[in-house]
Structure formats: structure tokens, C-alpha cells
Amino acid sequence: MSNSRILFAASEVYPFAKSGGLADVAYSLPRALNEAYNVDVIMPLYQFIDRVQFGIQASGETFNIMMGNKSYPVTLYICKYENITYRFIYTPLLCDREFLYGNPQGGYEDNDIRFALFNYAMLEIVKRDIYEIVHLNDWQTALLPLLLNNEPKIETKSLFTIHNLAYQGVFEKKALARLGIDEKYFHMDCLEFYGQVNFMKAGIAYADKITTVSPTYAKEILTPEFGCGLEGFLQYHSGKLTGIVNGIDTEQFSPSTDKMLVSPYTDLRGKAVNKRAFLKEIKLKDPKRPLVIFIGRFTWQKGLEIFIDALPDMALMECNIVVLGDGEAQYHDALKTLANKHDNIYLKSGYDEALSHRMYAASDFFLMPSLFEPCGLAQMIAMHYGSMPIVHSVGGLTDTVHDYAAFDAKSQKGYGVVFSQPDHHACLDAVKKALLLYSMKTQYNQIVKHNMLCDFSWRESGELYIKEYEKLKEESQRG
Ligand code: ADP
């Protein structure tokens, strides 16, 4: 183990706070890197995090942040959880909220101040404590490279990971003054974005390296179709951009040890026990029918329109369908209407970690018709639990799910049913193919057993992050 210290920052980290895959990555990647480096994870101490349960204690450090012309008090907290040191920033304006970022209808209007405070507090920490590298994740942490740019005495290098370019942290120009950011940064090569302030751009402009969460997404974001208006800016900075596919934590998601399951399993017979129990729990009939599930945020990104258009026809097929998700009301309402109409559709709205695990274990197919998908973890979790993904080939789904027609038992690839047109006709065709495959038991079983044995862990991708860190250390030594 090298004694290099890394500060890994994210606005959500499992099990403390989670709204999606970022929290899973912020939990599992530091664990994968912790043998090679000394990794501390840092996040906001939201008021809903249970301090007693996790043994979170004040570290004794407090300071004030002067931002704009206001002063904000900060208290630092700390805990050790599963061998990782977690550092927490507590300041009331950032942390005393019901939700992480806002409700599904929109973000909090002072999110610029909230997350700028997170970045200023981290700056204070790297001034006091030696970290060779800060590894930053998404727009909520993207100001730090700019703040470091203003501090020539600090030698810390920065790596900025883009998990989802669709969320950039864009605010009105007046944010500049209240965040205490010099007007000199308000130009198109930096923060300025169509007259507004864009946090993501600060990360892209000033980080020493940029990664994103799959090789295909790294290419896609350089195009107008997926670049969310930043394609030109990213092309300019593409020399420091690499795509590294995410892994899953195979302890957190392990069918053989998963405490959230009725009966943990290692084979398809054991999986069938979970399927029967689950169908009984939600009162769906006929365990012999293939079970198709959807778990995800109810947003345009996740292909909700495709899914909702395909559902009436899917419901007429010989299958059961279970949906778990949280998000926009229009999608929720449409799904609710369909679930009320068809007795083979079960809908649970909300966020429910334990239910999601029981669903992965019970399912035969995992539907993911995303319109764009930076990486996606759910399809890998599904394969690991012996379920077959049905995916639109885009972003990380292209890198992690290969079409079953090209199945090769000797490969280390995961297989599913892949469709290439982002519409409900293509989705329905894929579901039909999947159900036909399910009826060919030997072939279906061979593929899902293969998927269960594939390595979706951080082993390979962790090595790629280590390479990036080592390059940063070399740059730092060269001065
Ligand atoms: P994203 O980060 O875009 O939301 P990912 O596929 O990368 O999508 O990660 C989603 C993670 O969140 C997975 O672990 C998935 O199981 C979980 N998840 C998503 N929605 C829910 C929900 N409503 N309840 C429980 N877990 C959920």
C-alpha cells in the first residue's frame, strides 16, 4: 500500500444517503482503492443521517466560511465504517433539508450556495490536511478545482468524474456574487454557460484529469446528441478525459449472502425460491410466468416514455411485470393507471432498498430502455442476481450488456437482449425475443448462470483508476 492520501468527495454515499448509482459508486470504489491508497471519503452530514447508528462524532474542528459577504459556520464530523474513514461536513444551510437536492418537481433554489459551501469546506480541509489527490464526483463537487486554481501553494491534484452530464448545476448569474467567485471566471472557457453559472464547467476546465463512467459514454458526450450543450467544451478538454466503466460492490450485492433476501442463493433453484416467495408477497399469480422488472428513477433518461408505451402490449403477454421507482408525477400516474388495469402489473412507488434486492432476486428479466445511460449499475446487479437484462444499447449499457445472439460461454461478458432503436416498437420486439428465449429453458438457463459468474466487481476498473492516480502523482512530482 502506498501512503498517498486521497480525498474522495461525493454529495451522496451509500449507506448514509442515496438517490441513485452515484451513492453506490462512492461506497464501493473507495473500498476497492483502499488497499492501494489511504482513501478518506467526504460528504455533507445531512440531517436525516443517523449519527448514532454509524457512530458519527464531531472531530473537534470548526471554522467559518466567508462567502460573498456572509459567514457560514462549519463543524467537521468523522466515523470509521467498514474500514474506511468518512469525513462529514456539517453546516446548517447545506444539511438541514428533507431531501438531498430538492423534491422531484425541482431542486432547492439555493443549491448553488449549499454545494458551494461543500466545496469551500473541502478547500479548507485540503489547506489543513495533506491530500495528494482529491477525487471529485459530479457538479456538486465541481467548484473545488476552480478554488484550488486560486491557491497556488496547495499541491493537491484533482480528478473529476462525470457520472451524469445531464445534471450540471446551472444557476443564474447572480450566484457569482453570493458564492464569492471572481467575475474573471465568468467567460465561456470557464463557468459561463449561456449567461448563467455552470458548476460542471468549472470541474471540466480546472480538474487535472476527467473521467466518466464508461468508455462509450466518454465518446458520446463529445457529440451534440449526448453532450448536453457541453460537447464542444468537452472536445476541447478531451485530452484529459478517459472512460472507465463502473463496477458493483459484490459484497453489497451478493445473492449468496444478501440479508435482505428471503433465502440467499447460489444457483437457479435457490433463485426460484425467492421468486415464489416474492410473487406471494405481492400477490401476483403463476410463478412459471417470466417475471420482468423495472427499477429506477421515473425520468425521461430512463426511457419511461418507451416503457409506458410498451406496457399495454407487454401486459397482454404471458408474463408478470413489477415496477419500483420514484420520480416525475406524470410517469407515476401513467404507470398507476396501467397497474390498476392489468392484474399482472404490480407498481410500488418510492425508494425501497430491501424491496429492490428482493426484486433482483426474483426477476427473470430486467428492463432498462434508457435513452441515455452513462454507465448504469442496475443491469450489472441484475446479471449478478441471475436475471437477464433487456436494454437499449447506449452508453454503459453498450459496454456491459452483449446481445445473447452472440453468446460465448468462454467470454467474461454479460449477456442480455439488446435493442438499438430508442422506441417502444423495438422495446416490445426485444421483450418478445426475451420471452421466447425464456421458453427455451436450457439456453436461457445457460446464459443466466454464465451472467451470475461474470466478474462485475471493481477489480479491473479499480486498476484503471489507480493508473489515473499514478499519472497525477507523476505530474505532481514533475511540478
Ligand atoms: P442512476 O444512478 O442513473 O439512478 P444506476 O443504474 O446507475 O442509475 O443506479 C441505480 C441504483 O439505485 C441501483 O442500485 C438501483 O437498484 C437503485 N435504485 C434506483 N431506484 C430505486 C428505488 N426506487 N428503490 C430502491 N433502489 C433504487
Side-chain angles (χ1 to χ4, degrees):
M1 169 163 161
S2 119
N3 51 12
S4 299
R5 294 187 74 201
I6 314 286
L7 188 65
F8 187 100
S11 57
E12 52 182 278
V13 183
Y14 177 85
F16 307 103
K18 170 169 165 178
S19 79
L22 170 61
D24 287 331
V25 172
Y27 166 71
S28 54
L29 178 56
R31 284 156 62 96
L33 298 172
N34 205 33
E35 284 208 352
Y37 304 95
N38 210 330
V39 185
D40 291 350
V41 178
I42 189 159
M43 66 177 293
L45 185 57
Y46 302 108
Q47 49 87 18
F48 52 78
I49 296 175
D50 190 333
R51 297 182 190 190
V52 177
Q53 181 195 347
F54 295 111
I56 299 171
Q57 291 184 338
S59 69
E61 292 157 279
T62 57
F63 49 83
N64 284 302
I65 292 171
M66 273 307 291
M67 204 171 76
N69 51 10
K70 283 200 183 142
S71 172
Y72 301 86
V74 175
T75 313
L76 299 185
Y77 286 77
I78 196 160
C79 82
K80 192 102 180 164
Y81 179 75
E82 295 180 352
N83 244 350
I84 299 268
T85 299
Y86 289 89
R87 305 188 68 164
F88 297 90
I89 287 164
Y90 176 75
T91 179
L93 193 115
L94 167 63
C95 301
D96 293 349
R97 301 288 161 116
E98 187 181 353
F99 301 103
L100 291 171
Y101 314 117
N103 61 33
Q105 273 60 54
Y108 294 123
E109 51 91 24
D110 56 358
N111 273 347
D112 56 335
I113 306 183
R114 294 180 66 219
F115 289 100
L117 283 173
F118 183 26
N119 286 265
Y120 275 102
M122 289 194 285
L123 177 68
E124 190 58 36
I125 287 170
V126 296
K127 274 185 191 166
R128 293 161 175 230
D129 248 344
I130 295 168
Y131 285 101
E132 282 177 45
I133 296 167
V134 284
H135 185 159
L136 307 164
N137 296 280
D138 270 351
W139 72 264
Q140 298 87 348
T141 57
L143 280 187
L144 188 56
L146 180 149
L147 301 179
L148 285 171
N149 181 261
N150 251 338
E151 303 279 344
K153 283 204 195 116
I154 304 179
E155 286 174 5
T156 306
K157 294 275 176 190
S158 58
L159 185 150
F160 178 56
T161 299
I162 300 172
H163 293 259
N164 194 336
L165 194 62
Y167 303 94
Q168 297 176 6
V170 178
F171 304 96
E172 285 175 38
K173 189 188 170 196
K174 69 173 189 226
L176 271 192
R178 63 191 208 178
L179 306 186
I181 295 176
D182 198 307
E183 283 266 351
K184 75 175 183 194
Y185 289 109
F186 194 68
H187 58 83
M188 62 184 280
D189 296 329
C190 185
L191 273 178
E192 191 269 339
F193 185 65
Y194 298 103
Q196 294 188 296
V197 172
N198 184 322
F199 277 36
M200 183 74 99
K201 281 190 76 187
I204 294 168
Y206 288 105
D208 296 298
K209 288 224 171 293
I210 310 168
T211 64
T212 187
V213 290
S214 68
T216 298
Y217 193 58
K219 289 187 208 132
E220 287 173 346
I221 57 178
L222 304 181
T223 68
E225 194 184 348
F226 297 100
C228 304
L230 292 186
E231 58 277 5
F233 195 61
L234 280 161
Q235 279 165 24
Y236 180 78
H237 289 285
S238 59
K240 57 179 182 179
L241 169 69
T242 319
I244 302 178
V245 75
N246 281 337
I248 57 170
D249 188 293
T250 41
E251 281 177 32
Q252 180 193 356
F253 293 106
S254 161
S256 61
T257 55
D258 192 332
K259 292 196 181 65
M260 299 183 202
L261 302 187
V262 172
S263 170
Y265 60 96
T266 51
D267 57 18
L268 296 183
R269 204 184 281 178
K271 182 172 168 68
V273 174
N274 286 277
K275 180 176 179 184
R276 280 195 298 276
F278 181 64
L279 291 180
K280 205 168 161 195
E281 170 192 333
I282 58 169
K283 300 188 180 63
L284 280 188
K285 283 181 254 153
D286 199 356
K288 287 211 175 61
R289 286 178 172 206
L291 172 60
V292 184
I293 64 166
F294 176 100
I295 302 174
R297 293 178 288 114
F298 293 161
T299 60
W300 181 83
Q301 173 196 345
K302 296 288 172 186
L304 260 290
E305 273 153 38
I306 296 177
F307 183 40
I308 289 164
D309 287 347
L311 254 183
D313 285 330
M314 278 175 66
L316 300 178
M317 298 177 193
E318 273 293 303
C319 64
N320 284 317
I321 302 159
V322 177
V323 183
L324 167 65
D326 212 1
E328 291 167 39
Q330 47 168 347
Y331 297 130
H332 176 264
D333 294 347
L335 288 168
K336 197 165 170 203
T337 307
L338 286 163
N340 287 340
K341 192 163 165 203
H342 298 277
D343 63 5
N344 59 341
I345 303 181
Y346 175 87
L347 168 70
K348 173 77 197 280
S349 30
Y351 189 88
D352 190 333
E353 188 81 25
L355 178 65
S356 75
H357 284 233
R358 296 202 296 283
M359 284 173 65
Y360 285 117
S363 67
D364 302 298
F365 294 101
F366 188 93
L367 185 59
M368 213 161 161
S370 307
L371 294 177
F372 72 93
E373 194 58 76
C375 180
L377 299 175
Q379 78 281 9
M380 289 189 268
I381 301 169
M383 289 190 275
H384 196 55
Y385 278 67
S387 180
M388 185 179 281
I390 304 172
V391 302
H392 171 224
S393 179
V394 72
L397 296 175
T398 305
D399 295 326
T400 56
V401 184
H402 300 84
D403 193 67
Y404 74 102
F407 178 64
D408 173 3
K410 287 192 221 76
S411 81
Q412 259 304 308
K413 295 174 181 166
Y415 290 91
V417 183
V418 176
F419 60 98
S420 44
Q421 280 303 317
D423 62 49
H424 76 278
H425 299 293
C427 178
L428 270 175
D429 280 348
V431 173
K432 278 185 206 149
K433 277 193 205 168
L435 300 189
L436 182 65
L437 179 63
Y438 188 77
S439 68
M440 301 188 276
K441 266 279 165 274
T442 318
Q443 208 181 334
Y444 171 84
N445 285 353
Q446 188 191 14
I447 299 174
V448 286
K449 275 193 220 160
H450 169 92
N451 283 350
M452 283 181 81
L453 295 175
C454 283
D455 182 3
F456 297 110
S457 76
W458 277 103
R459 204 176 42 84
E460 269 183 37
S461 296
E463 290 296 326
L464 297 176
Y465 274 106
I466 288 173
K467 271 196 191 142
E468 295 303 311
Y469 286 177
E470 289 302 310
K471 281 188 221 158
L472 284 175
K473 282 168 62 184
E474 277 166 29
E475 278 174 27
S476 168
Q477 275 150 17
R478 269 188 257 121

